[in-house]
């Protein structure tokens, strides 16, 4: 079966990855145990000078080393495969999938603190890992949870501002607008106006980033309750963790839903720097725009159908299969529906990826969650059947480099099972999660003094002339 072949390949990759990750040079400053009891800000302050020197040495000793050749296909094809920016918090391998500071998703599930024994990792733990490269202990994560709760208070006028928007506006439009409204509270913007030295940029960026991460769940939950629950707002719980509190404010107090939200926020947080939302934030922030401006821009990119909006399209497509073929759809019926989708000029949502060439590990961990908590859910069983049927069809089509499922292929079905059925809202969850990775990198952008991004663009005429000269030389 296709599914088990994919899992077998994934197991071999995990084994190989474990061997690679044991090399000290692969993740030079990742420490599996925290070496200090300092709080998060203090740990960063202690680490930054070393990383600044590391970057300076890299530039002085290897600044002229070529990292590859740029082809016309890359220029015309969305810069795919072109190495062009520094992103410290995660790295995406086409075969292995994402690694957060050198750790795979299964490794993160194993070593990051959880709300309960054997539970899913707490997103606060991943935030600590992304920022420091160190695995925090439970006390450090609990302390960070408390700090985020303290930072989470938002002014009432934010809610009044959201109420002034058309209730039919897409939830992502409302989320982006809300982040822009909060921008007036930017510590970086105020400090820059007062002439702060550039060596201190990271400090106010840190404050803005943690404030933004902390306040997003309340804003996002308010948008959800306003649109779908007649405006019945649920306040933050004074002792729940980040993921649990977000689920609670949305209106879900099933412990399994809390666990799902912790997993969701963790695995969607970061996917290196070249994707639309991450790259957008990095680009905008390189102009010294503060984290609110940069993240609002990222959200607008995430809202596109070829990026974050795909997760809502997956669930809608799966439900269209059920509407036309029934829940007990046969393999042949499913193949016919897939071909019908492809022949209409559409894609099968949730399959394929711009970088990955294997099953997305984020899909795999969600499947494992479903097998544990909702094995008999009809839509989950349909997702499992799609895993067997879609890849061979896409391979037969011959135009798809990666026929395997990505993260979006599974998340909507899990959310739907626990009652979050409003697919139009799903990308907001993605946005809240992505703040953790984007804001972590923005802090390091300022700490390392990364410059204004300004790549070179060319015209088709320039390309034609250059290629003609290259052909005759």
């Amino acid at each position: 079966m296709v599914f088990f072949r994919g899992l077998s390949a994934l197991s071999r990759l995990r084994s190989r990855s474990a061997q690679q990750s044991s090399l000290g040079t692969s993740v030079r400053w990742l420490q599996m145990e925290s070496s200090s009891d300092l709080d998060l800000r203090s740990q960063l302050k202690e680490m930054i000078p070393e990383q600044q020197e590391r970057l300076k040495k890299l530039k002085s000793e290897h600044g002229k080393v070529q990292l590859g050749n740029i082809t016309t296909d890359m220029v015309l094809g969305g810069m795919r495969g072109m190495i062009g920016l520094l992103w410290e918090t995660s790295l995406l391998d086409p075969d292995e999938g994402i690694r957060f500071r050198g750790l795979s998703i299964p490794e993160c599930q194993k070593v990051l603190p959880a709300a309960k024994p054997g539970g899913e990792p707490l997103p606060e733990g991943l935030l600590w890992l992304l920022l420091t490269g160190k695995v925090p202990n439970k006390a450090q994560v609990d302390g960070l949870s408390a700090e985020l709760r303290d930072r989470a208070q938002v002014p009432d006028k934010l809610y009044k501002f959201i109420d002034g928007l058309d209730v039919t506006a897409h939830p992502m439009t409302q989320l982006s607008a809300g982040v822009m409204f909060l921008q007036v509270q930017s510590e970086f913007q105020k400090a820059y106006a007062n002439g702060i030295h550039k060596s201190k940029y990271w400090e106010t960026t840190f404050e803005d980033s943690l404030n933004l991460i902390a306040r997003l769940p309340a804003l996002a939950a308010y948008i959800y309750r306003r649109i779908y629950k007649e405006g019945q707002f649920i306040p933050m719980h004074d002792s729940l963790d980040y993921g649990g509190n977000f689920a609670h404010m949305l209106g879900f107090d099933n412990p399994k839903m809390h666990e799902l939200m912790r997993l969701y926020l963790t695995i969607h947080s970061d996917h290196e720097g070249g994707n639309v939302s991450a790259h957008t934030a990095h680009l905008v922030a390189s102009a010294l725009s503060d984290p609110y401006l940069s993240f609002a821009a990222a959200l607008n990119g995430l809202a596109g159908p070829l990026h974050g909006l795909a997760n809502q399209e997956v669930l809608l497509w799966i439900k269209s299969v059920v509407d036309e073929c029934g829940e007990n759809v046969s393999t042949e019926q499913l193949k016919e529906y897939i071909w019908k989708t492809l022949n209409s000029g559409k894609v099968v949502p949730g399959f394929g990826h711009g970088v990955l060439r294997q099953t997305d590990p984020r899909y795999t961990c969600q499947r494992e969650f479903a097998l544990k908590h909702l094995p008999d859910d009809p839509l989950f069983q349909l997702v499992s059947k799609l895993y067997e049927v879609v890849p061979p069809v896409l391979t037969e089509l011959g135009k798809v480099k990666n026929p395997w499922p990505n993260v979006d292929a599974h998340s909507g079905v899990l959310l739907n099972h626990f009652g979050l059925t409003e697919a139009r809202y799903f990308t907001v969850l993605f946005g809240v999660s992505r703040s953790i990775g984007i804001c972590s990198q923005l802090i390091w952008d300022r700490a390392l003094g990364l410059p204004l991004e300004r790549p070179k663009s060319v015209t088709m005429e320039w390309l034609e002339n250059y290629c003609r000269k290259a052909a005759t030389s």
Side-chain angles (χ1 to χ4, degrees):
M1 291 172 62
V2 171
F3 172 69
F4 292 107
R5 187 174 74 242
L7 279 187
S8 178
L10 188 61
S11 298
R12 292 195 298 272
L13 287 169
R14 285 178 180 169
S15 175
R16 187 180 76 191
S17 300
Q19 295 171 359
Q20 291 175 340
S21 65
S22 67
L23 299 175
T25 55
S26 63
V27 192
R28 195 172 69 85
W29 54 297
L30 175 70
Q31 299 179 19
M32 292 303 293
E33 298 294 337
S34 291
S35 60
S36 171
D37 291 328
L38 295 173
D39 62 27
L40 185 55
R41 184 189 176 106
S42 299
Q43 285 213 14
L44 278 173
K45 188 172 183 178
E46 192 176 75
M47 295 165 58
I48 283 171
E50 177 190 349
Q51 297 308 308
Q52 289 172 333
E53 287 301 311
R54 182 183 177 193
L55 181 67
K56 182 190 263 185
K57 182 179 180 182
L58 188 62
K59 290 175 67 176
S60 64
E61 295 183 2
H62 307 292
K64 304 303 180 184
V65 174
Q66 294 187 1
L67 299 179
N69 296 317
I70 297 175
T71 66
T72 303
D73 277 342
M74 290 177 173
V75 174
L76 300 178
M79 299 190 289
R80 297 292 174 91
M82 189 186 297
I83 298 174
L85 62 119
L86 182 69
W87 193 269
E88 285 289 275
T89 51
S90 64
L91 186 67
L92 181 60
D93 181 89
D95 294 318
E96 295 179 358
I98 194 65
R99 282 183 171 268
F100 303 119
R101 290 292 193 181
L103 296 181
S104 67
I105 287 176
E107 289 167 342
C108 286
Q109 289 178 297
K110 181 178 180 181
V111 302
L112 289 178
K116 61 180 183 179
E120 299 299 338
L122 291 164
E124 299 93 315
L126 186 74
L127 173 60
W128 190 293
L129 173 67
L130 294 182
L131 276 170
T132 68
K134 302 174 184 178
V135 174
N137 58 44
K138 186 62 163 61
Q140 289 170 321
V141 170
D142 288 345
L144 183 54
S145 292
E147 180 178 354
L148 291 174
R149 286 195 299 272
D150 289 341
R151 291 174 177 267
Q153 299 301 320
V154 297
D156 288 340
K157 55 187 177 182
L158 169 64
Y159 301 131
K160 293 179 181 177
F161 170 75
I162 296 297
D163 287 341
L165 300 175
D166 194 320
V167 74
T168 63
H170 194 282
M172 285 295 287
T173 303
Q174 298 188 44
L175 182 66
S176 176
V179 171
M180 287 297 292
F181 182 89
L182 290 172
Q183 190 271 340
V184 297
Q185 300 181 345
S186 170
E187 297 296 328
F188 178 88
Q189 171 246 326
K190 295 171 187 175
Y192 187 85
N194 290 328
I196 187 175
H197 192 275
K198 63 181 180 181
S199 65
K200 302 290 186 181
Y201 284 172
W202 78 267
E203 295 180 0
T204 47
T205 300
F206 177 89
E207 291 301 314
D208 280 354
S209 295
L210 261 66
N211 285 340
L212 178 57
I213 292 169
R215 293 165 185 171
L216 275 172
L219 169 59
Y222 187 84
I223 291 168
Y224 176 77
R225 303 292 300 181
R226 173 178 182 252
I227 297 174
Y228 302 111
K229 303 298 177 182
E230 299 179 347
Q232 298 174 0
F233 179 63
I234 300 173
M236 181 180 65
H237 195 284
D238 61 5
S239 62
L240 279 173
D241 58 273
Y242 189 80
N245 234 327
F246 188 22
H248 165 73
M249 288 187 289
L250 288 169
F252 302 98
D253 286 318
N254 183 334
K256 293 181 180 179
M257 179 58 166
H258 287 201
E259 279 289 276
L260 174 60
M261 190 61 72
R262 293 170 187 130
L263 176 65
Y264 186 102
L265 295 177
T266 297
I267 66 174
H268 285 79
S269 63
D270 205 28
H271 218 227
E272 73 172 27
N275 64 77
V276 170
S277 54
H279 188 194
T280 298
H282 174 81
L283 171 63
V284 174
S286 77
L288 295 186
S289 298
D290 62 63
Y292 294 93
L293 295 172
S294 304
F295 188 67
L299 288 175
N300 293 335
L302 190 68
L306 295 183
H307 192 19
L309 204 68
N311 57 9
Q312 79 172 41
E313 294 190 339
V314 170
L315 183 61
L316 295 175
W317 184 82
I318 289 174
K319 287 186 174 182
S320 74
V321 174
V322 174
D323 289 342
E324 183 162 323
C325 305
E327 287 185 349
N328 297 317
V329 57
S330 68
T331 298
E332 287 305 313
Q333 285 178 307
L334 201 50
K335 284 182 180 178
E336 288 179 10
Y337 195 85
I338 292 166
W339 278 113
K340 177 182 175 181
T341 299
L342 295 171
N343 291 332
S344 68
K346 300 176 183 178
V347 299
V348 178
F351 285 78
H353 191 272
V355 177
L356 287 169
R357 295 296 175 261
Q358 300 286 343
T359 298
D360 192 335
R362 299 173 298 174
Y363 173 95
T364 304
C365 72
Q366 289 182 100
R367 176 175 173 79
E368 291 169 352
F369 184 95
L371 287 169
K372 180 178 180 180
H373 295 293
L374 49 133
D376 298 324
D377 182 274
L379 291 184
F380 166 58
Q381 293 177 348
L382 178 54
V383 166
S384 298
K385 189 170 290 187
L386 286 168
Y387 194 4
E388 299 176 16
V389 176
V390 174
V393 171
L394 294 180
T395 301
E396 183 182 343
L397 186 65
K399 299 179 181 179
V400 180
K401 293 181 179 179
N402 171 24
W404 302 102
N406 59 48
V407 65
D408 298 318
H410 219 309
S411 56
V413 167
L414 298 179
L415 295 166
N416 184 81
H417 175 83
F418 291 108
L420 209 170
T421 59
E422 298 85 2
R424 200 163 175 252
Y425 183 79
F426 289 172
T427 312
V428 171
L429 305 178
F430 200 160
V432 173
S433 173
R434 192 48 63 94
S435 71
I436 294 172
I438 285 176
C439 289
S440 295
Q441 181 59 42
L442 291 186
I443 293 167
W444 278 105
D445 285 354
R446 299 289 74 81
L448 296 173
L450 297 187
L452 177 71
E453 185 174 308
R454 179 58 170 89
K456 173 65 177 162
S457 64
V458 295
T459 64
M460 282 200 288
E461 181 182 10
W462 186 97
L463 279 172
E464 290 164 346
N465 291 336
Y466 184 91
C467 293
R468 287 192 198 102
K469 291 177 182 177
T472 57
S473 62

